Amino acid sequence: MQLLWIELNNIRSYTKERIDFPEGSLLLSGDIGSGKSTILLAIEFSIFGVMRSHLSGNALLRHGCNQGSVELAFKIENKEIIIKRTLKRTATGIKQTAGHLILNNTKLDATPLELKAKTLQLLGYPDELVSKNKSLIFRYTVYTPQEEMLQILLESEDERLDTLRRVFGLDKYKRIRNNTALYLKELRQKRAILESKLEDEQEIKTKLKNAQQQEEELKQSNIQTKETLQNIQQQLTKLKQSLKELEKQEQDIQKARLEKETLIGTQKTLEKETILLNEETLQLNEFLAKHKITEQLTSPEQELTAIKEKIKNLNEKQRSIQEKTAFFTSKKETADNIKNKLLNIDNCPTCQQTISQQHKDHICTKQDETLQKIQNNMEKLTQANTQITTLLKNLEERESTAQTNLKTYLQKKTLQQEVKNKEKRKPEIEKRKTEIQEQTKTLQEKLSQIEKQLTQSETLITTIQQTKQEEQTHSQKEKTLLIKTTEQKERIDSLEKEIKETQEKHKKIQKHKKQFQTLTELEEWLQKLFINLLYIIEKQVLLKIHSEFDQLFQNWFSILMEDSLLSVRLDDSFSPHIIQNTHETSFLHLSGGERTSIALAYRLALNKVINDFVSTIQTKDLLILDEPTDGFSSEQLDKMRELLDELNAHQIILVSHETKIESFVDNLLHVVKDGHESKVLPT
């Protein structure tokens, strides 16, 4: 990681200031209180944001200002990154507001926490630092404020070890041990619960055995009951079949009785018919003896038809005469009218000319001739009509006689036909008598057979009653056995359910037993092996860290205190063990410069060990030292040149008010304060 520039707006004593960070070593020089450390705090704020008691918004925002910001540009693996964080004064205090991050010219607006997470990811710091209020890795590898330089050395052994565990991520072993202890406590509680559940194991086994025995006995009894039921049902089926056949026979007997009654009725009918046929034969003989056919009859129908035809013709002629008579009568009246009119008029009604007497006489003569002809014709017609009337009267008399003859003829013909029919009926009667005799014989045979069949009916009725009684008995047995099998089945089902539930309980107990054994083994493994293994792993890691740390600590101290009678090393608790003139001495008994040298050597050694141990971090080439020479003598200050050369870091930022150091660095910036406002002046 290489810092490029930082811009402060209303941050502590700065109103608006941009500081560029070149490669190599850079000294921020200035008087005490000029604002040098503010730049370092601003760098830390831009990366991690506000960190409660360690880096609060109240400590950063300039007094009297409502808003401030820090914008930091840095480079990681040739990627330029810009982070901007803002502070805002509100009614409830100073709060962080949303900022942004620019990576590869892509701007990402984000909340303070999102910015922190993204920045830690870019720096390669562990993810769990997102929720921490202090980044120990940054504080002990990149930047440690002046007031914290000696803090780790002045802590108790346990506090120092806890701090180092957190720095190197070894506090997880302690957390694992603590969590394991809690888990062991929970395991013991679970074991106690499982142990109490195992107390009923023997009782459940006995209950299961008894239930299974009862179930087996019931199943055997149920099999026997089913076999008995099956036999009863088979017998019942046979009885029902027999009863069905017997009832069919009974139905046949009922049919035979009905048939007997029908045959007797038929027999009586035939007897009556025979009597009637005999009576009919006597009547036929008497009728035939009384009526014999002696003459050949001739039908008068032809004569009657001829008479009717003649009457018809005469009637037509008479109608014709009447029509002609009416015609001549009409003509006569017309001629009389003309004659009378002519005699009574003098002028012609058409031309109005006077009619002469001669003309009148001529016309009258002509009309008289016409009237005479009409009279002659009418007389002829009257004579013809009289002749026709006489003929019609004669024909009507003949027609009456012919009709009387026809009636007599029809009566005789009917009688002759009746005689013929009765003569024809006689052989039919004889034939029917023969048929009746044969039918009667057949009926007698059938009745004889039916009588034989009916004689067995009483025995059949007795057999049917006995079979029905036996069927009822077997049905009752079947019903009883069905109820018994149902009860047995219900009891078996109940026992199966009980067995299943008991087996489930037994399975649960076996499962609990297995869990109990597993928990016991797990508890033993955690207690005897796992926790000890954690101690061993942590100890081995600490030994490795201690070895490198101790070597580096001695090397850096020897550079700073080359000609000193002091020698240092780290004890097992990572505390500096100080030897002066072969005697052990306390850190607090040393001079200010000696204490600063030990603190700086400890700080630089810790920086190198952390960078080596946490391989993912991207801040290995950056080192910020805040007043690292406090209390140094002039000779010790000269050692800083050698120390800076030995560090060989890509970028080192020093904060110091010692002017002698200005000649040791590649770049120099002067920080001055005018009134209440700080400024950075390039050299």
Side-chain angles (χ1 to χ4, degrees):
M1 176 182 181
Q2 178 190 342
L3 300 180
L4 299 177
W5 53 265
I6 189 169
E7 185 174 303
L8 289 74
N9 290 291
N10 295 327
I11 298 298
R12 298 182 77 167
S13 58
Y14 291 91
T15 55
K16 184 174 180 63
E17 191 72 30
R18 174 182 169 123
I19 302 104
D20 292 317
F21 299 108
E23 293 183 14
S25 56
L26 170 67
L27 175 64
L28 297 177
S29 176
D31 294 333
I32 295 173
S34 61
K36 303 185 296 298
S37 296
T38 298
I39 297 172
L40 306 183
L41 291 174
I43 293 171
E44 188 174 20
F45 168 67
S46 65
I47 295 173
F48 299 101
V50 170
M51 294 185 289
R52 294 186 186 174
S53 59
H54 299 287
L55 191 62
S56 66
N58 289 325
L60 289 171
L61 185 62
R62 183 177 175 84
H63 293 303
C65 295
N66 293 324
Q67 193 166 348
S69 66
V70 174
E71 194 168 5
L72 175 69
F74 58 92
K75 186 164 63 175
I76 295 177
E77 296 178 349
N78 296 321
K79 295 178 183 178
E80 185 173 333
I81 301 158
I82 299 174
I83 300 174
K84 183 176 182 179
R85 289 185 181 271
T86 58
L87 294 170
K88 187 175 182 180
R89 193 183 303 276
T90 66
T92 57
I94 298 172
K95 306 289 183 182
Q96 280 191 95
T97 56
H100 66 254
L101 183 146
I102 300 174
L103 174 62
N104 295 329
N105 296 321
T106 301
K107 184 178 179 181
L108 172 67
D109 293 318
T111 64
L113 190 62
E114 289 171 342
L115 280 176
K116 184 177 181 181
K118 184 64 177 176
T119 306
L120 290 176
Q121 182 184 359
L122 291 170
L123 295 179
Y125 283 13
D127 293 338
E128 58 264 23
L129 293 181
V130 174
S131 59
K132 302 292 183 182
N133 290 321
K134 186 176 181 181
S135 175
L136 293 176
I137 292 179
F138 185 81
R139 280 293 173 96
Y140 290 115
T141 59
V142 179
Y143 165 56
T144 305
Q146 180 183 6
E147 60 272 15
E148 294 184 20
M149 283 281 289
L150 301 176
Q151 182 177 343
I152 192 169
L153 298 175
L154 298 175
E155 290 177 338
S156 66
E157 291 183 0
D158 290 340
E159 288 176 337
R160 185 183 307 106
L161 282 173
D162 284 343
T163 300
L164 291 174
R165 283 191 181 98
R166 290 198 301 275
V167 170
F168 290 104
L170 300 180
D171 56 330
K172 62 186 175 184
Y173 294 109
K174 185 177 181 180
R175 288 199 305 273
I176 293 171
R177 286 197 300 272
N178 293 336
N179 291 336
T180 303
L182 293 173
Y183 184 60
L184 281 169
K185 184 179 179 181
E186 187 179 343
L187 278 183
R188 293 186 188 100
Q189 291 174 349
K190 287 182 178 180
R191 281 182 68 250
I193 293 170
L194 289 172
E195 194 171 12
S196 66
K197 290 180 179 179
L198 294 176
E199 293 174 356
D200 300 333
E201 182 181 11
Q202 189 58 43
E203 182 183 347
I204 288 173
K205 281 183 178 179
T206 304
K207 185 179 179 181
L208 179 61
K209 184 178 179 181
N210 292 336
Q212 288 173 336
Q213 186 175 353
Q214 289 180 29
E215 182 192 26
E216 185 61 31
E217 291 173 357
L218 266 174
K219 282 183 176 179
Q220 290 298 326
S221 177
N222 185 249
I223 290 170
Q224 293 174 0
T225 305
K226 284 182 176 179
E227 288 176 353
T228 305
L229 176 62
Q230 189 176 4
N231 292 332
I232 291 293
Q233 287 175 337
Q234 288 175 354
Q235 293 175 18
L236 189 59
T237 302
K238 290 179 181 178
L239 284 171
K240 286 181 178 180
Q241 185 64 33
S242 298
L243 188 60
K244 188 176 180 181
E245 292 174 357
L246 289 170
E247 286 175 345
K248 185 179 179 183
Q249 292 177 18
E250 187 180 21
Q251 289 175 359
D252 292 341
I253 288 173
Q254 291 295 334
K255 288 180 181 179
R257 286 196 181 98
L258 292 173
E259 188 178 1
K260 179 183 176 182
E261 291 176 1
T262 303
L263 291 173
I264 290 171
T266 304
Q267 190 178 33
K268 289 180 179 180
T269 302
L270 291 174
E271 288 175 354
K272 288 180 180 179
E273 188 179 358
T274 302
I275 293 169
L276 291 173
L277 288 172
N278 290 331
E279 290 177 355
E280 187 180 359
T281 301
L282 288 173
Q283 290 174 0
L284 281 174
N285 291 331
E286 290 177 359
F287 181 82
L288 291 173
K290 187 177 180 181
H291 301 91
K292 292 183 179 180
I293 300 173
T294 57
E295 59 179 334
Q296 187 70 29
L297 297 176
T298 302
S299 176
E301 288 183 10
Q302 189 173 2
E303 181 185 359
L304 182 60
T305 301
I307 291 169
K308 285 182 177 180
E309 184 65 28
K310 288 178 180 180
I311 290 171
K312 180 181 177 183
N313 292 333
L314 289 173
N315 284 329
E316 288 178 356
K317 286 181 179 181
Q318 194 174 39
R319 278 196 300 274
S320 177
I321 290 170
Q322 289 173 353
E323 289 174 357
K324 288 179 180 180
T325 301
F327 173 72
F328 286 124
T329 301
S330 176
K331 285 189 73 175
K332 181 182 178 184
E333 289 176 356
T334 302
D336 285 338
N337 287 333
I338 291 171
K339 183 178 177 182
N340 291 330
K341 283 182 180 180
L342 185 62
L343 292 174
N344 292 323
I345 62 173
D346 293 328
N347 296 322
C348 178
T350 304
C351 62
Q352 297 298 320
Q353 291 181 2
T354 303
I355 301 172
S356 64
Q357 186 63 40
Q358 185 181 358
H359 183 66
K360 288 182 180 181
D361 291 340
H362 175 71
I363 291 173
C364 287
T365 301
K366 193 175 181 179
Q367 290 299 322
D368 287 338
E369 290 175 357
T370 300
L371 287 170
Q372 186 60 47
K373 288 179 181 179
I374 290 170
Q375 184 63 38
N376 292 334
N377 287 329
M378 287 181 69
E379 287 176 357
K380 289 179 181 178
L381 289 171
T382 300
Q383 290 175 0
N385 187 45
T386 301
Q387 291 175 358
I388 288 170
T389 300
T390 302
L391 289 172
L392 281 172
K393 185 176 180 182
N394 185 28
L395 287 171
E396 286 173 355
E397 289 175 356
R398 287 176 62 191
E399 182 184 15
S400 177
T401 302
Q403 285 179 346
T404 301
N405 293 335
L406 179 61
K407 186 176 181 181
T408 303
Y409 166 77
L410 291 173
Q411 288 174 350
K412 288 180 179 181
K413 187 176 181 181
T414 301
L415 182 60
Q416 285 182 354
Q417 186 63 42
E418 187 177 357
V419 170
K420 288 179 181 179
N421 289 338
K422 289 186 181 298
E423 287 177 349
K424 187 178 179 182
R425 175 65 179 152
K426 283 180 71 177
E428 290 177 356
I429 290 172
E430 292 301 324
K431 182 181 178 182
R432 179 59 186 154
K433 283 181 179 181
T434 304
E435 289 175 354
I436 288 171
Q437 288 175 356
E438 292 175 355
Q439 287 179 1
T440 301
K441 184 179 179 181
T442 304
L443 286 173
Q444 288 295 339
E445 291 174 355
K446 286 184 178 180
L447 283 170
S448 177
Q449 292 175 357
I450 289 170
E451 286 296 335
K452 288 180 182 179
Q453 187 178 357
L454 292 176
T455 54
Q456 302 172 359
S457 62
E458 292 182 1
T459 306
L460 180 64
I461 290 169
T462 303
T463 305
I464 288 172
Q465 289 175 349
Q466 291 175 351
T467 306
K468 283 184 176 180
Q469 184 64 37
E470 195 173 351
E471 182 198 17
Q472 289 177 357
T473 303
H474 280 72
S475 295
Q476 187 61 38
K477 287 181 180 179
E478 180 191 30
K479 185 177 179 181
T480 304
L481 289 171
L482 283 171
I483 292 170
K484 187 176 180 180
T485 54
T486 303
E487 290 174 349
Q488 288 175 339
K489 182 67 170 60
E490 289 175 353
R491 179 59 182 152
I492 289 169
D493 291 342
S494 176
L495 282 170
E496 285 179 348
K497 184 178 179 182
E498 182 181 345
I499 289 168
K500 188 176 180 181
E501 290 174 354
T502 309
Q503 285 175 338
E504 288 296 324
K505 289 180 181 178
H506 188 258
K507 283 181 182 178
K508 285 183 180 179
I509 286 177
Q510 293 302 313
K511 185 179 178 182
H512 292 154
K513 194 172 184 180
K514 189 175 181 181
Q515 289 175 346
F516 180 80
Q517 292 172 351
T518 303
L519 291 179
T520 303
E521 292 171 359
L522 180 60
E523 180 186 3
E524 186 176 353
W525 181 80
L526 289 172
Q527 188 70 45
K528 294 181 179 180
L529 297 175
F530 183 68
I531 292 177
N532 291 333
L533 181 63
L534 288 174
Y535 277 116
I536 292 169
I537 293 172
E538 183 182 11
K539 187 175 181 180
Q540 291 298 320
V541 175
L542 283 173
L543 283 173
K544 182 180 178 182
I545 292 171
H546 183 276
S547 175
E548 184 180 354
F549 198 168
D550 184 39
Q551 184 65 44
L552 289 168
F553 176 53
Q554 292 183 44
N555 290 342
W556 288 120
F557 184 77
S558 65
I559 292 173
L560 292 170
M561 302 288 290
E562 184 177 2
D563 298 327
S564 173
L565 297 175
L566 290 173
S567 64
V568 294
R569 65 177 178 82
L570 294 179
D571 62 13
D572 292 341
S573 65
F574 289 84
S575 299
H577 188 76
I578 305 166
I579 304 297
Q580 187 175 32
N581 294 327
T582 69
H583 296 286
E584 183 178 351
T585 186
S586 171
F587 177 76
L588 296 175
H589 295 161
L590 299 176
S591 66
E594 290 171 337
R595 287 199 299 269
T596 301
S597 296
I598 290 175
L600 181 57
Y602 198 94
R603 161 84 168 77
L604 294 175
L606 184 58
N607 169 278
K608 184 66 169 65
V609 174
I610 294 172
N611 284 332
D612 291 344
F613 189 81
V614 187
S615 60
T616 59
I617 60 177
Q618 300 291 330
T619 55
K620 296 178 181 180
D621 293 331
L622 175 63
L623 181 63
I624 299 174
L625 299 174
D626 185 14
E627 297 290 353
T629 60
D630 185 34
F632 271 22
S633 64
S634 178
E635 291 79 5
Q636 286 178 301
L637 287 174
D638 290 336
K639 295 293 183 181
M640 284 299 296
R641 183 191 299 274
E642 183 181 350
L643 183 139
L644 292 174
D645 292 338
E646 284 291 330
L647 285 173
N648 194 29
H650 184 75
Q651 190 175 41
I652 301 174
I653 299 174
L654 291 92
V655 173
S656 178
H657 60 277
E658 297 286 352
T659 57
K660 191 173 185 178
I661 298 178
E662 294 178 2
S663 61
F664 302 162
V665 296
D666 301 325
N667 302 283
L668 176 64
L669 291 176
H670 283 291
V671 181
V672 297
K673 194 171 187 181
D674 184 8
H676 297 289
E677 185 176 347
S678 296
K679 293 286 185 182
V680 177
L681 303 176
T683 58

